[in-house]
Amino acid sequence: MQRLAVAGRRTDCTTPDIEAFWCTETPKGDRYACVDQACAPAVRLVPGRSLGGLRPCVIHPDRPGDPGRSIPYHPAADTSDYRHALTLWHAYGGALGQSFDALVQQFNQTHPTIQVESSYGGTLFTMREKLVTALAAKSGPDMAQIDQFWSSELADAGALVSLDDFIAGDASLAGADIWDKAWQTASYQGKRWSMPFALSNIALYYNKALFQKAGLDPDQPPVTWEMLAAIARQLTLDADQNGTPEQWGITMPLKANEGNVYYWLAFLWQNNGALFSDDFKAVRFDEAAGVEALQFWVDLAKKDRSLPLAPPENGFEGGKVGMAIASTARLSALRKALGPDNLGMAPLPGHKRTATGVGGANLAILSRAKDQAAAWEFIRWMTSPETNLAWSIASGYLPLRQSVVQSAAYQDYLKQTPQAQVILDQMAVAVVRPNVPAYTPVSRRSAWAIEAALFTDISAQAALTAAAAKAASAIK
């Protein structure tokens, strides 16, 4: 229990957020957080934030000075009693993980009363299992980076805090500045259960130098499935005819734990297919459109042999693969690997229609969070225009706000990184994955079917039919 002096008298306080105002009496020997010079009643102390220009401070009445003297806050001051320690799980590995953790550390340095400890929870595929297991055991983090379609499942389980009140109270989140498709990823049954953080889609990357060596025009990337397959064949080289090419035409995630279903869904949508029926009570991915989309992948791998089932490590980055279908979030890393002038980037080739997937991740507050207000302060900072601009430029993710896209800083970035224009151009045809609880079991069944058709002798039709039967039982 903390003792807080209020208006010349003492008040007991057991909560970390204190309804308080500055007073003239300070109990000898006590130490507490306050708002410097704030004499108006009922000022809410929000850790790490300025209130009307007032600064957080720490009172040390046992130090030299008059009773009630305020000492401005300094990071070196002992404020352990008032620090809000929060935990966060994320799924960013490699360079993205380093950039993400750097932002967390920057927040901690600028918000000394809130300290966030971030930890890598594995890929999104494995982190979901870890998170669900932890929540079932009534443990886990205060906050988590979640895949966009987790909101519905976790909300139904009572594991998430609705962010509606926080969002409604923040004028910077009003209006239509944030992409509507970003909000769709966070919404379920009329409520917003997470905050969009990273926004991406799927694009085609290609090695311009390999295009030129193959007699291809590096300024004419493929725009259809047929062109994609033809160019992939032309880029595949097997000089000694031993069945193992020295150079492959194309690569993309093929295994379930690599997120294959996210990429395959774009081909399904391009073929006018659907994962679910309109009422989400039946699955449709095993219909002709789905079989044709999967067969296209199977043919690239087994017939044309232009898509390696066991790709060389960093094959595209190392110049052993000519094209890669990947998230636009990989733009910065691939520019660094191939060189900014050698990396080509184009919209995902289309078929019956053009389409790409909306990807990225959101930030959520778990119901067990020790301090929801402090957690929201962190999320608010991480998704602020300034932080989001820095994150987008460092990673290649699309800014959440259209005003940030139009900012001078991001326009300069587009001039220096012209490939990023593809991300913007594709938003008009980007499709948000269904944010319903059934998505997880259905998408996982689909992912395993895709993997089976590619890595075993089962046909595309048989794999999807079997998966659909199992998925159907999961949503009844």
Side-chain angles (χ1 to χ4, degrees), residues 1-6 9-14 18 25-33 82:
M1 178 176 294
Q2 295 172 329
R3 304 289 293 180
L4 176 67
V6 178
R9 59 184 174 83
R10 285 186 170 190
T11 298
D12 290 339
C13 180
T14 59
I18 302 170
E25 289 185 15
T26 304
K28 179 77 173 174
D30 279 356
R31 174 165 47 85
Y32 55 87
Y82 312 104

Side-chain angles (χ1 to χ4, degrees), residues 24 49 140 190 197 209 230 263 277 290 414 424 457 465:
T24 57
R49 290 187 60 188
F197 170 67
Y263 298 89
S277 59
L414 288 177
L424 282 167
D457 293 332
T465 298

Side-chain angles (χ1 to χ4, degrees), residues 361-381:
N362 296 2
L363 297 176
I365 301 174
L366 282 300
S367 298
R368 67 175 305 278
K370 295 181 288 293
D371 189 323
Q372 295 178 9
W376 171 249
E377 179 63 18
F378 169 76
I379 290 176
R380 182 181 184 275
W381 185 88

